Amino acid sequence: MRFHDVSICSVAHVDAPCRVTSAQLEHRLAPTMKRLRLPLGLLEGLSGIRARRMWPKGTKPSDAAALAAGRAIEAAGIDPQRIGILINSSVCRDFVEPSTACMVHGKLKLAPHCLNFDVGNACLGFLSGMEIIGAMIERRQIDYGIVVDGEDSRFIVDQTIARLSAPTTDQATFWANFATLTLGSAGVAMVLTRRELAPRGHRFLGGVTVAASEHRQLCSGHVDRMETDSATLLTEGLQLARRTWDEAHRELGWTHGSLDEYVIHQVSKTHTDKFGAVFEIDPRKIFTTYPEYGNVGPAGVPLVLSKAAEAGRLEPGERIGLMGIGSGLNCAMAEVVW
């Protein structure tokens, strides 16, 4: 899908305030790791994640999403009543129903005519929300739209540690749940509009997606746990990414070295390094967040983009690739001209 009239007004993030180190999580798992003869330092050593963030107990995903949305709306300098759609993409939800988008809509006091709903596409949900809003803007159906995401890893990590602390936990169970311990928390939001309404905006050119749903059972997430075949997921995900790159080459004109910045959904050091190696990406073109923030799911791509912009890495006119692989498997790649 390619857009000609869509711009990003603003992108914003909110860091969860509670920093939790990998060493702290391992301390809670020390009896199990000792029994299974697993060395301390394993979590940080294998993932490259020193720490992740968590929200205070009682914080809901809609709270985090609304905080980020408020920042994005303020940065865009627009009247919130002109927003025609709000899409929430978080894996974490306040309730099964109503939608988390509805909760955010109410907290922001958006207009009654503003559509609001959740989009679920694992770690690609935010990119999917961008495409839906982009298509509506391209058709001039709305003036402004906002994608939001609030993730909180506290509950699922606590439940996983409790489960792994059982005396019956074996090596297979430990490794199947290992990826859950890499999860982090964040709030992110992005306001999109037509180019004429944002003369200083950043063009969203659209993107491509490719599915490999034969691998849909490699990662299954639940409210209290996530079970993952990490090795196979990485191998098959990179194969899918190669096919998606070919689509981006045809649709967006991507070639090796043609992009100025690669904004990647980051799972771990291994995932990020191997992804970069496959596409021969200069590591200096990848702004890494995983060492301090872990894997924040669908908040990952916008979090990297927002933090890279905040750090002054992005210059006007630069081509920015947004790239991610989500369980299912699905892969998405999109382009923003900053």
Side-chain angles (χ1 to χ4, degrees), residues 132-295:
I132 292 169
I133 291 176
M136 294 177 71
I137 290 170
E138 194 84 353
R139 293 196 303 268
R140 292 183 171 263
Q141 188 174 347
I142 56 173
D143 288 335
Y144 296 94
I146 186 168
V147 192
V148 303
D149 192 289
E151 304 295 345
D152 184 15
S153 60
R154 180 182 292 276
F155 179 76
I156 191 172
V157 169
D158 285 349
Q159 292 296 307
T160 297
I161 289 176
R163 189 166 52 255
L164 293 180
S165 297
T168 54
T169 295
D170 56 15
Q171 289 266 0
T173 302
F174 182 89
W175 289 113
N177 287 268
F178 182 81
T180 310
L181 303 177
T182 69
L183 297 177
S185 310
V188 292
M190 177 184 289
V191 177
L192 299 102
T193 189
R194 295 196 306 276
R195 290 177 63 188
E196 66 190 61
L197 297 178
R200 293 189 177 183
H202 316 291
R203 288 192 62 195
F204 176 38
L205 302 185
V208 297
T209 61
V210 179
S213 56
E214 63 271 24
H215 303 302
R216 61 192 176 275
Q217 296 178 327
L218 293 178
C219 179
S220 58
H222 307 266
V223 173
D224 62 346
R225 68 189 187 279
M226 181 176 72
E227 297 178 351
T228 307
D229 180 348
S230 298
T232 307
L233 186 70
L234 176 60
T235 299
E236 297 300 338
L238 291 176
Q239 290 292 341
L240 177 59
R242 289 187 178 95
R243 299 201 296 275
T244 310
W245 179 277
D246 291 341
E247 290 295 320
H249 169 70
R250 285 189 286 270
E251 183 71 13
L252 300 170
W254 285 11
T255 58
H256 291 292
S258 65
L259 300 178
D260 299 292
E261 187 82 11
Y262 295 80
V263 174
I264 299 172
H265 167 237
Q266 297 169 26
V267 174
S268 67
K269 175 176 171 50
T270 299
H271 173 274
T272 303
D273 289 351
K274 286 186 177 294
F275 193 98
V278 163
F279 298 112
E280 302 174 5
I281 300 172
D282 183 344
R284 293 173 296 181
K285 293 185 176 183
I286 300 175
F287 184 73
T288 56
T289 58
Y290 68 81
E292 276 294 321
Y293 296 93
N295 175 7

